[in-house]
Amino acid sequence: MRIIKATDYNDLSRKAANVIASQVTMKPDCVLGLATGSTPLGTYKELIERCEKGDLDFSSVKSVNLDEYRGLTRDNDQSYYYFMHNNLFKHININSENTNVPDGTQPDSDMECARYEKVIESLGGIDLQLLGLGHNGHIGFNEPDQAFAPVTHCVDLTESTIEANKRFFASADDVPRQAYTMGIGTIMKASKILLVVSGADKAQILREVLFGPITPQVPASVLQLHKDVIVVADEAAMSKF
Ligand code: GLP
């Protein structure tokens, strides 16, 4: 595991974008695993700028997103499809047919999760998976649990996640209670993983993730077992090391 210290959020965004840009430059037809949340926003902005300047070409890149709220349509402004489209895809030269997000409107969760897992397999697996970190240690929507989930599945969101994500909705009651997410096993199969963490409010959980026991109660702690993880965190997030 490589830990890169960034001075602040802007520095973190540049450093994380450097890792993704290297991946795309070295393998133009790579499969990028992408994430939502506020942390990767700066990274996406950097990638957009580099693409606009002509320094990065996404025309052969394929993408798979980590997760999606169950029940939200693509045009719902809180869906992760909408987020990805507005914060990244529409600004870069990626072919929208090469972008994949779980379909939150598919009511048969087993069918949708199996389909999504097959999509990832059919692309040949993920070259680089970008991850944010939830306050309870979740990655994607893999919440603290008794076991690590092997594949894409439907989850009940915890109260702490609903609380954290309600800022984007009119009220906590509007936050969907379920989501489709890649499993921990799906994430761990990625060749490389890039974890981005910002802010003092993540300092305690980041310390547990990197140096605490490996346990499904802190889902991201499993990353200690992955052979190629880069963590980019700012000073505030590293303040409890
Ligand atoms: C959501 C997403 C996660 C993300 C997390 C942290 O719950 N499903 O993939 O990592 O939020 O988000 P933020 O970066 O806004 O703290």
Side-chain angles (χ1 to χ4, degrees):
M1 181 175 294
R2 201 137 49 91
I3 302 175
I4 299 177
K5 191 174 192 167
T7 47
D8 55 19
Y9 180 72
N10 287 340
D11 190 37
L12 173 151
S13 301
R14 273 193 309 274
K15 287 182 159 70
N18 286 346
V19 176
I20 298 173
S22 310
Q23 174 67 60
V24 173
T25 305
M26 300 296 281
K27 189 178 176 192
D29 61 347
C30 64
V31 178
L32 293 181
L34 297 175
T36 56
S38 47
T39 316
L41 278 174
T43 307
Y44 292 156
K45 246 182 98 206
E46 281 284 329
L47 293 176
I48 292 165
E49 281 172 21
R50 294 176 197 199
C51 186
E52 281 169 352
K53 277 194 208 142
D55 290 338
L56 262 185
D57 176 13
F58 288 89
S59 60
S60 304
V61 168
K62 284 153 267 172
S63 74
V64 283
N65 258 80
L66 278 169
D67 48 13
E68 178 61 283
Y69 286 115
R70 187 175 187 199
L72 296 194
T73 56
R74 287 177 155 200
D75 58 356
N76 183 308
D77 63 3
Q78 292 311 323
S79 77
Y80 285 170
Y81 179 91
Y82 189 97
F83 176 103
M84 289 310 301
H85 182 73
N86 279 285
N87 291 305
L88 184 65
F89 298 152
K90 77 172 184 192
H91 305 289
I92 60 174
N93 66 335
I94 197 166
N95 180 345
S96 63
E97 284 176 14
N98 288 339
T99 66
N100 298 279
V101 180
D103 181 356
T105 64
Q106 180 55 251
D108 186 333
S109 57
D110 288 347
M111 221 172 83
E112 175 53 16
C113 293
R115 181 196 71 80
Y116 200 67
E117 196 69 24
K118 279 217 185 75
V119 166
I120 299 169
E121 250 177 65
S122 71
L123 294 173
I126 300 165
D127 290 296
L128 173 66
Q129 176 65 55
L130 172 64
L131 296 176
L133 182 64
H135 287 99
N136 58 6
H138 76 228
I139 43 179
F141 268 134
N142 289 279
E143 299 279 32
D145 206 345
Q146 298 307 312
F148 292 115
V151 291
T152 303
H153 59 294
C154 182
V155 287
D156 295 329
L157 302 181
T158 62
E159 278 312 314
S160 89
T161 299
I162 291 167
E163 195 53 33
N165 291 359
K166 76 172 187 205
R167 62 201 151 117
F168 302 113
F169 293 82
S171 75
D173 287 344
D174 294 308
V175 185
R177 266 35 191 178
Q178 288 187 312
Y180 297 147
T181 181
M182 284 185 198
I184 292 291
T186 325
I187 294 168
M188 289 292 280
K189 275 200 254 165
S191 305
K192 283 187 187 343
I193 292 179
L194 170 61
L195 176 70
V196 287
V197 190
S198 170
D201 54 322
K202 299 268 177 82
Q204 181 58 35
I205 192 67
L206 182 60
R207 184 187 142 131
E208 286 173 41
V209 163
L210 300 183
F211 308 114
I214 298 165
T215 162
Q217 292 300 332
V218 182
S221 64
V222 76
L223 298 176
Q224 293 179 37
L225 298 176
H226 193 281
K227 62 180 188 332
D228 200 353
V229 178
I230 300 180
V231 181
V232 184
D234 58 19
E235 277 173 10
M238 288 195 186
S239 58
K240 295 232 161 121
F241 284 15

